[in-house]
Amino acid sequence: MAIITKKNRAESNTNYAQGGIAAVTSKEDSIELHVQDTLQAGAGLCKEQVVRTIVQEGPARIAELIQLGMHFSEREIPQSNGARELDLGKEGGHSKRRILHAKDVTGREIECALLAAVAEQSNIRIFENHLAIDLITSQKLGQPAANRCMGVYVLDTASGQVETFRRAHHGPGDGRLRKSLSLHDESGHSHWRRCRMAFRAGAAIANMEFIQFHPTCLYHPKAKSFLISEAVRGEGGVLKNIAGTEFMEQHHPLKSLAPRDIVARAIDSE
Ligand SMILES: Cc1cc2nc3c(=O)[nH]c(=O)nc-3n(C[C@H](O)[C@H](O)[C@H](O)COP(=O)(O)OP(=O)(O)OC[C@H]3O[C@@H](n4cnc5c(N)ncnc54)[C@H](O)[C@@H]3O)c2cc1C
């Protein structure tokens, strides 16, 4: 089995995620509450069935991560003789504490656990610096039956060679073929490239107008900006304007813990 990745194996958005993952794991919470919070934060634009599926499957996926070796932060239960429970944080748009985290490096810890689990499987090989360029589908190969993914063209960015990875067969080898085509510079690796690839393969594309703006980052004229996690507001951090005045009250009843689009627009209007 092959996993391809365009840079090194640890380089991903996941690696940078800090705050944590929202999932229902506490007795004080419920799937229905999480669904309603999500639909509300989605301002009526979410597909409810998709929201329900993701929220319902969340706890099982968390259990799976824990089984694979992920350690989420815990806290001692008060007056319990040292018993421990998951330390749940709060973030914007959530009516309950439901953010599981590993200190402030949640994504990195998840990625470490997953990479360690992959390393234990002798039948999985990771190809670093391999950029997917296009999916090979049965229709593109002129096969009239239902459209299926048969493989992928991949640029080895170290050698400049394009390789063909074929859909797994039952047999030895990693399914790789080399093409005698050379590409040089590779630019514009992006979300759009992946959407275009899916579109060319026949996938329906929706909601292309949506890009998430994370509302808060550290600004310093002489330093590189970086994202300030919503967990900071979850633990009581309050947004103030340059005059030191709180302003979120005028924008949403959840104030600084309003959904991200509302917080981002409020900051912009200030
Ligand atoms: C600073 C920061 C903080 C965040 N904090 C949180 C948080 O607290 N909670 C939360 O839920 N979310 C958070 N997010 C968002 C979260 O990280 C992402 O939604 C999530 O990691 C996406 O996971 P993924 O597996 O889909 O993508 P990724 O983790 O980005 O993995 C995609 C992988 O595919 C590779 N790849 C991409 N294109 C190609 C290609 N064409 N060919 C080959 N390989 C390719 C990439 O190199 C990468 O390794 C944060 C994001 C950032 C940047």
Side-chain angles (χ1 to χ4, degrees):
M1 199 184 296
I3 294 177
I4 61 156
T5 184
K6 66 183 181 188
K7 293 191 179 156
N8 68 62
R9 64 193 65 198
E11 183 56 35
S12 63
N13 286 300
T14 300
N15 198 32
Y16 296 105
Q18 303 167 326
I21 306 181
V24 175
T25 58
S26 131
K27 286 195 290 289
E28 277 109 67
D29 200 0
S30 74
I31 297 289
E32 195 50 37
L33 270 177
H34 194 181
V35 167
Q36 291 311 323
D37 287 350
T38 309
L39 293 175
Q40 216 159 8
L45 294 164
C46 302
K47 287 200 169 121
E48 186 170 339
Q49 193 45 52
V50 175
V51 172
R52 284 195 180 278
T53 304
I54 291 172
V55 168
Q56 265 161 9
E57 287 191 3
R61 298 288 83 77
I62 295 291
E64 205 171 58
L65 280 175
I66 292 172
Q67 209 182 11
L68 283 169
M70 171 68 193
H71 296 290
F72 288 105
S73 292
E74 294 179 347
R75 65 176 197 121
E76 206 171 299
I77 305 171
Q79 288 134 23
S80 71
N81 270 340
R84 299 182 73 73
E85 64 181 2
L86 288 165
D87 180 28
L88 300 176
K90 201 163 181 217
E91 290 197 359
H94 293 283
S95 60
K96 294 283 175 191
R97 286 193 164 265
R98 60 169 75 102
I99 313 299
L100 293 96
H101 63 102
K103 298 185 182 148
D104 63 352
V105 286
T106 312
R108 200 176 74 199
E109 291 294 310
I110 291 173
E111 195 170 78
C112 283
L114 292 176
L115 285 173
V118 166
E120 280 175 17
Q121 305 295 318
S122 58
N123 62 337
I124 303 180
R125 186 165 163 204
I126 299 182
F127 292 86
E128 296 180 316
N129 304 309
H130 277 62
L131 176 86
I133 299 169
D134 210 9
L135 299 172
I136 304 162
T137 61
S138 49
Q139 273 181 9
K140 285 186 202 163
L141 296 176
Q143 297 168 7
N147 203 13
R148 301 185 64 190
C149 186
M150 310 301 283
V152 58
Y153 290 126
V154 175
L155 173 69
D156 176 343
T157 53
S159 70
Q161 293 278 317
V162 174
E163 300 173 358
T164 305
F165 282 65
R166 287 186 298 191
R167 187 164 62 87
H169 291 286
H170 302 289
D174 59 24
R176 220 169 19 149
L177 296 173
R178 273 187 188 269
K179 264 191 139 191
S180 57
L181 166 66
S182 258
L183 294 184
H184 300 291
D185 196 15
E186 168 56 33
S187 58
H189 311 178
S190 72
H191 168 68
W192 310 116
R193 172 194 303 284
R194 298 192 293 274
C195 288
R196 284 200 304 270
M197 214 187 316
F199 184 70
R200 286 194 298 271
I205 306 288
N207 299 334
M208 289 297 281
E209 70 276 31
F210 292 118
I211 294 178
Q212 184 189 172
F213 291 87
H214 189 87
T216 51
C217 78
L218 183 94
Y219 171 71
H220 188 286
K222 290 188 181 148
K224 197 167 175 246
S225 295
F226 62 83
L227 187 150
I228 295 179
S229 170
E230 211 163 271
V232 173
R233 280 174 282 133
E235 297 307 321
V238 166
L239 293 166
K240 294 181 179 176
N241 62 20
I242 203 160
T245 310
E246 292 180 27
F247 57 88
M248 278 308 298
E249 208 168 307
Q250 307 150 40
H251 296 277
H252 198 273
L254 288 173
K255 302 184 200 166
S256 291
L257 275 177
R260 284 181 189 175
D261 62 316
I262 292 168
V263 173
R265 278 198 297 274
I267 291 172
D268 194 50
S269 78
E270 285 295 316

